[in-house]
Amino acid sequence: MTTAPRPAAELSADEARRIALRAQGFLGAPDRRAGVRGVLRHLGQVQLDTISVLARSHELIPYARLGAVGRRTVEEAYWTDGHAFEYWSHAACILPIEEWPHFAFRRRAYRDRPHWNHELSDDAYQAVISQLKAEGPQTATELGGAKNKGEWWDWSDSKIAVERALMFGEVVVTERRGWKRVYDLAERAVPDALLHDDLDDTECLRRLVRQAGEALGVGTRADLADYHRIKGEAFDAVVADSGLVPVTVAGWGKPAWADPAALATEPRGRHRTTLLSPFDSLIWERPRTERIFGFTHRLEAYVPKQKRVYGYFAMPVLAGGRLVGRVDPARDGRTLVARQVTLDGPKAVPAVAQALREAAEWVGCDAVAVERVDAPELAPALVKALG
């Protein structure tokens, strides 16, 4: 474990919370001119996920920060003009194209590791590369089919080959088309100035630790390492030269580091009120969420229905810089259905109602229906607040 040097600042838990909110884009005026691409560049990554309830998670991330930006606008911001690529970071993520050189360490690691029990001939690999070179961007289906006739994990040779090429950096995912990955050759999709693996592992890791600090504002070793899924010992080796400064946070009980720019001015401004995707980087690490907000959250989509507490895709509600409840949403025609609402007392009712109304309008619903409230005595107030 890293022994942190003398801290540059001592922060209260409340100061750390507000620094984190501002760093993540939830406190202060949003940068609307930079828009979705600005959100992506600042966060450094936006996580992708297959689940779509109100919208897919990569759409919910900019919505939560900017408000009702058009969903087509979101997709075009990510996938046009070569501004982004998809790769493995915290998970499968959309990344700003300028971060391509900093993932050289991961591409090298993939090239050096075993091939996950997927046998593949050199001919099959080269066939995929040749087809992409001749025919341009392709989905796995267009390359020859994603699966054999077995179980869902029984990938075809072409799917194994293109995913391996993706990990190695010879191929890039340049967009999602009907949720299918679209693959292209890196030499065609990545600008020449960025298309290199020149940076050594230390330089890559130093940059990504610094970027995690800028995106989180302040964090522990686990917080910062988890952001791009960097090993703890790799974090230890570079944090002293990353540009982040050591701090202490009251009640955290662990060494922490902060972005110097986050400490330079007091976090002030208007708080966002919004529903949050469970895959939002503000809350995706459960121990950090509990430490900062005193809020325990778990995605229950993969929990058996009878064992769910808050619902299939329960979305935390952020208001006034606090997490004040949860909503498990669904859609029925032009009605947003709150299948289950969990409220942190009566004071949460107006904020949850506002978050529901705004989300409904964003996805093209003109009504909100509430099926169940965990505190039934608050249900009439919530329905009234929804109008």
Side-chain angles (χ1 to χ4, degrees), residues 4 7 49 53 62 96 99 111 130 137 148 181 195 202 215 238 256 259 264 267 297 299 317 333 350 355-356 364 385:
D49 193 79
V53 180
E99 297 297 341
R111 291 174 202 140
S130 297
N148 292 319
R181 285 174 166 168
L195 186 62
T202 298
V238 301
D259 173 18
H297 189 69
L299 176 68
V317 181
L356 280 167

Side-chain angles (χ1 to χ4, degrees), residues 22 70 104 107 150 341:
R22 181 176 64 181
R107 293 190 289 271
V341 179

Side-chain angles (χ1 to χ4, degrees), residues 81-96:
D81 304 324
H83 282 274
F85 69 106
E86 178 185 334
Y87 199 58
W88 298 101
S89 177
H90 183 82
C93 292
I94 302 170
L95 298 154

Side-chain angles (χ1 to χ4, degrees), residues 20 69 101 129 194-195 250 304 321 345 353:
V69 58
I129 300 301
L194 300 173
L195 186 62

Side-chain angles (χ1 to χ4, degrees), residues 210-232:
R210 174 63 185 252
Q211 194 280 317
E214 292 169 349
L216 294 176
V218 58
T220 65
R221 176 186 192 252
D223 297 343
L224 296 163
D226 183 69
Y227 200 76
H228 291 290
R229 294 283 163 85
I230 293 169
K231 292 181 179 179

Side-chain angles (χ1 to χ4, degrees), residues 277-291:
S277 163
F279 303 107
D280 195 297
S281 51
L282 180 69
I283 58 169
W284 65 23
E285 194 194 12
R286 289 170 60 190
R288 177 177 170 85
T289 302
E290 291 172 13
R291 190 185 331 116

